[in-house]
Every structure is written in structure tokens, then in C-alpha cells.
Amino acid sequence: MKSGWQSAVVAMGVSMSMLLTCPAAAQKQPYVPPEYEREGGPYVPTPNVVVDRMLGMANVGANDHVIDLGSGDGIIVITAAYRLKSSGYGVDIDEELVRLSNQRAKSLGINERVLFEAKDIFKADVSKATVVTLYLLPEFMQRLRSKLYAELKPGTRIVSHDYHFEEWMHDDEVTFDVPEKEFISGVPSATLYLWIVPAKIGGAWRLQVDGNGEYDLALQQRYQRLMGSAEGRGGKVSLLEPKLSGAEVSFLLPLGVHQRRFTGRVSGDRIEGTADFGGGKIVRWHATRSKS
Ligand SMILES: C[S@@+](CC[C@H](N)C(=O)[O-])C[C@H]1O[C@@H](n2cnc3c(N)ncnc32)[C@H](O)[C@@H]1O
């Protein structure tokens, strides 16, 4: 039995026969039937079951603003807004698909929270996104990588159907059966990739630990991967187990015979947090970017 949402969508013309999609084989060019070819790349909708998994993987809720780049018939943004009460924005190069998406949003009564525009994905303003969804050809993914890394807020979740960013390693990945993909791709499954956009914290910082000294922090960052060292009166030590997820940072700082766990949150050129000094002693710390 179909849910109200599925019935509404099917009634508006998204039938199972339209649920064609790209093959799951990661980074391979998909076979696309000629009727789905468009000037800017193929229009192939993500099946409903995959849309649900994408939104679940990104943990979309009412406070989210979901942006789908290459939004097709709008299924991802519309599902998020209708079922999960998020707001959303979609851009597609195909004006007819954009018109259809806005019409669909209006007929579902969600057009005040959702907008679709005919625009090139590379010119889209993504700064308001808390979630970005993608189902794009590999070469588009590689070209989008630097735009999304530069323009998205720390903590923004990106979920991509079947294709990844190569050198920007994903934070999570899941593959599951999608039988309806088989007749077009020969692969009855989908793979989803998740990235959490990291804060930009590479560089020199001055770390001050309340009542427990000051250090020069040197951080090296490659996307969400972090390395670093701290130099204080006792000399220079490497940070252990450095982690960066969105704006959340943590590391172990070797101090004498102890390793102290530092956790903090990045906000622009400042990081604030607490350090566990053992025996229930929690101290506050902050770091500010060193002037170069
Ligand atoms: C595979 S479909 C995905 C549709 C939708 N995101 C989904 O998952 O159901 C890719 C879409 O990207 C659009 N597209 C391709 N190149 C584009 C570009 N440069 N700017 C905007 N949209 C583009 C196509 O028109 C097509 O609708």
C-alpha cells in the first residue's frame, strides 16, 4: 500500500516506470537511454527508496535547508519538505523540469518553503544549505568538489547517490539493494556517500589552557583529515588522534607523562572547548589564529 505522499507523487506522474537511474558502479559513466539525455547531462531520477535513504543518511529534519544540485523533477527537495518539513532549493539546467518541480511543490502546498530555479549548478548559491544532495556524473562531481568545500558552512552534510569526490574522502558510505535499478544499469543496488563539511583550521594558532599554560599549535589539514603539533615550555609534541567533524575538533595533547583529551568547537578564527585533566578535573581552553 502506498503512503499519502507516494500516492500524491504517483498521481502527479512519477510512476514506477520513471524510476530509471544511473548504474551503481562507482565512478563509471552510466548507460543512459537517449530520452533521458539533456544538454547538461542526463536527467535520471533517484528512486523513492533511495531518496528516503539519502535523507535519512543526512539526518534531515525541520531545521534543515536541503539543496539539490541538478534537481531533476524535484523529488529530493520535495520529499524532504513534504515529509520532513525542511525548506529547500533546487537548481536544474532544464527549464521544463524546473517548471514541473515548482508546480509540484505548489500542488503539495510547500511552495513557501521550496524553490526551484533554472540555473547552472556551478553558479548556484549554496551558502544557506545545511544539506546538499547530488546525483551527478563523475566529471561534475570532481568540478563541484572545490566549490562545495569552499562555499558550504562547516557541518553541512553532503549526500551523493553513486558517485564520490575522489580525493575528498567520504565520512560514511552505504550500499543497498535497489532492484528497480537493474534493468537500466545491470546493477540492482545503490551506493550513497556522506561528507560532513569540515571547518577550515589549517595554520598557526595560539592555544591557552586556563591555568595550565600556553602553546603554539600548528595544524595541517587535508579536507577533514587533521595533523598537528603543539609547542610549549616543555618542547614540541605531536597531537594524537586529531579529529575534525564539521566544526567539532578533538585531539590528545601529551603533557608530561599524561595525554589530555581536548575537545572544542571552531567558530571562525576562534576555537573554544574543554580539556579533561583526569580525576574529574575539566579545564576550559581556547585558541585564536596567530597573526602571520
Ligand atoms: C541524474 S539527474 C538527477 C535528478 C535529481 N537530483 C534526482 O536525484 O532525482 C541530473 C540532473 O542534473 C541536471 N544538470 C546537468 N547538468 C547541469 C548543470 N550544469 N546545471 C544544472 N543542472 C544540471 C540534469 O538536467 C538532470 O536533471
Side-chain angles (χ1 to χ4, degrees), residues 218-259:
L219 300 179
Q220 294 92 44
Q221 174 178 12
R222 180 87 174 135
Y223 298 105
Q224 70 273 51
R225 271 179 285 171
L226 193 62
M227 289 174 62
S229 60
E231 187 162 7
R233 288 175 134 191
K236 189 172 177 178
V237 291
S238 293
L239 304 184
L240 304 175
E241 300 177 16
K243 287 196 182 71
L244 178 62
S245 179
E248 307 297 326
V249 64
S250 70
F251 52 84
L252 283 173
L253 181 60
L255 294 175
V257 295
H258 300 289
Q259 295 174 354

Side-chain angles (χ1 to χ4, degrees), residues 40 42-46 68 70 72 75-76 92-93 119-121 135 140:
Y43 159 57
V44 188
T46 293
D68 189 25
I75 186 74
I76 295 177
D92 202 287
I93 207 83
K119 188 172 277 194
D120 191 311
I121 51 176
Y135 187 25
F140 282 68

Side-chain angles (χ1 to χ4, degrees), residues 22 38-47 51 54 68-76 91-94 97 119-122 133-136 140 161:
C22 306
R38 295 288 193 285
E39 205 176 315
Y43 159 57
V44 188
T46 293
V51 171
M54 291 174 80
D68 189 25
L69 295 175
S71 48
D73 64 3
I75 186 74
I76 295 177
V91 296
D92 202 287
I93 207 83
D94 187 315
L97 289 172
K119 188 172 277 194
D120 191 311
I121 51 176
F122 297 99
T133 55
L134 306 168
Y135 187 25
L136 294 167
F140 282 68
H161 178 187

Side-chain angles (χ1 to χ4, degrees), residues 57-58 157-160 170-173 192-196:
M57 196 174 196
R157 292 91 80 200
I158 304 171
V159 178
S160 174
H170 42 280
D171 294 290
D172 200 3
E173 172 183 346
L192 303 183
Y193 301 95
L194 172 76
W195 295 260
I196 313 284

Side-chain angles (χ1 to χ4, degrees), residues 147-206:
K147 173 181 170 71
L148 296 183
Y149 183 67
E151 296 178 19
L152 291 175
K153 293 186 291 274
T156 302
R157 292 91 80 200
I158 304 171
V159 178
S160 174
H161 178 187
D162 277 350
Y163 301 106
H164 56 72
F165 284 137
E166 296 193 345
E167 67 177 51
W168 182 1
M169 279 300 296
H170 42 280
D171 294 290
D172 200 3
E173 172 183 346
V174 63
T175 298
F176 51 97
D177 293 342
V178 187
E180 60 262 45
K181 287 179 74 172
E182 180 156 29
F183 78 102
I184 179 170
S185 67
V187 183
S189 64
T191 298
L192 303 183
Y193 301 95
L194 172 76
W195 295 260
I196 313 284
V197 176
K200 314 290 185 296
I201 63 169
W205 297 77
R206 185 70 179 162

